[in-house]
Amino acid sequence: MAEAPEIPLCQPLPELPTGGYDDDYFLEPPHESLHCPVCLLVLREPHLISCCGTHICQVCIERIQANEQSCPCCRSENYINVLDKKERGKVLELKVHCLNSVKGCDWVGELGDQERHFTNKCQYVEKVCHYGCGGKYPRFLLHTHEQDECPERPVEMKMATFTKQFMEKVCTLEREIINLNKKLTDQEERHKTEVYALETKYEGEIIKLNKRMKDQEERHKMESQIQQADEMSQLKKDLSLLISLAGKVPSWYIAPLTDSTILLHPCTFSMFNFSHHKRVSGQWWSTPFYTGPDGYKLQLRVDANGNG
């Protein structure tokens, strides 16, 4: 006769819905002692079974009792179960993420604080608009929607939104003006610095150029004076030559040179070789003379044979 297969003392009940937490729910895998022998998950509201001292999830043990089944671990028919607060405290101290971690919430804390955080503080929990537009928004966007976007918000809030947007634009323009003024000031200072650097760099060359120009002016002035003196000397020589060529004007008839002006006094002249001139040309001319300092320039013509 074949023996019946041995049944393990703690046999899970796969037909019952699970009542515990999945291991992936926690930051670190919980200890094996915190797992329910029925659903094989982390204990949720652990109850202590009187017959064998095993801890089972509240949902799991209640469904077993509802079906009038024996203890799933020791098969005892008579047992009682009570909530083990100490064991529950161990589970509630396990570290977990926020229920909205996939939406972006980075909260990390104990399991016992998770519901409080989710209910009161999580910014990714969707809330219904208070003004009845029917929209749902994450908690961190709800205030902005109600203040600035909701079409059902009061008129006062709409005006406040318009005023806020206007002031923001004004502030933006003021900041741009300040930045522009600062940029212009910086450019002006940089330009002054560059000009000063250029002046410093070429200061010696400018001084040399000014000195060179001054020397050239002095040399040109000296050359002009020398040239005038040479011209005056040459004029005197030419005058002396003319006088010597004329040979008829006594030296006392020539006034001294004053301010480069020659003043000739009225003079007479003698006619030599009269017979020769009469025979050859019949006339001759005297040297030019002036009637006065501001008078006319004249010249005497003599006709040896008469005129007519």
Side-chain angles (χ1 to χ4, degrees), residues 97-114:
H97 289 288
C98 175
L99 297 175
N100 282 324
S101 60
V102 294
K103 295 182 180 180
C105 183
D106 57 358
W107 179 87
V108 174
E110 295 181 354
L111 177 61
D113 297 330
Q114 185 188 60

Side-chain angles (χ1 to χ4, degrees), residues 114-262:
Q114 185 188 60
E115 184 176 357
R116 186 183 309 109
H117 161 75
F118 184 83
T119 304
N120 301 325
K121 296 183 179 180
C122 181
Q123 297 299 312
Y124 291 87
V125 175
E126 292 187 350
K127 296 289 184 178
V128 179
C129 176
H130 295 89
Y131 295 117
C133 68
K136 291 184 178 181
Y137 301 90
R139 184 179 277 124
F140 71 93
L141 294 177
L142 180 63
H143 179 74
T144 302
H145 165 74
E146 292 179 346
Q147 292 290 327
D148 304 331
E149 301 173 356
C150 181
E152 301 298 331
R153 68 188 188 278
V155 177
E156 294 80 3
M157 296 184 67
K158 293 181 180 179
M159 292 300 299
T161 300
F162 174 79
T163 304
K164 177 183 176 182
Q165 294 174 350
F166 176 78
M167 294 305 298
E168 288 177 351
K169 292 182 179 179
V170 171
C171 293
T172 301
L173 290 176
E174 290 179 350
R175 286 194 297 268
E176 292 179 355
I177 292 173
I178 293 173
N179 293 334
L180 181 60
N181 289 334
K182 184 177 182 300
K183 187 181 296 183
L184 291 175
T185 303
D186 294 341
Q187 291 179 352
E188 183 178 357
E189 292 296 329
R190 185 165 59 254
H191 177 70
K192 289 182 179 179
T193 303
E194 293 175 354
V195 171
Y196 177 76
L198 291 175
E199 290 177 349
T200 304
K201 179 179 179 180
Y202 296 105
E203 181 177 4
E205 297 183 6
I206 294 175
I207 294 175
K208 291 181 181 178
L209 182 60
N210 290 333
K211 185 176 182 303
R212 189 182 305 169
M213 293 177 62
K214 186 176 181 180
D215 293 342
Q216 290 180 353
E217 290 178 358
E218 292 293 336
R219 185 165 57 252
H220 179 71
K221 183 177 180 180
M222 186 177 297
E223 291 176 353
S224 298
Q225 291 177 352
I226 293 173
Q227 184 179 1
Q228 290 178 0
D230 292 343
E231 291 178 354
M232 182 62 65
S233 177
Q234 184 65 34
L235 184 61
K236 289 181 180 179
K237 290 180 181 180
D238 294 342
L239 180 59
S240 299
L241 179 61
L242 289 175
I243 293 174
S244 63
L245 291 175
K248 306 302 179 181
V249 181
S251 60
W252 57 269
Y253 283 109
I254 303 176
L257 295 175
T258 303
D259 295 334
S260 303
T261 302
I262 301 175

Side-chain angles (χ1 to χ4, degrees), residues 283-303:
Q283 60 178 252
W284 64 92
W285 298 85
S286 68
T287 57
F289 61 91
Y290 292 89
T291 60
D294 297 325
Y296 296 98
K297 182 179 180 181
L298 301 177
Q299 191 175 20
L300 181 63
R301 187 184 70 182
V302 177
D303 292 312

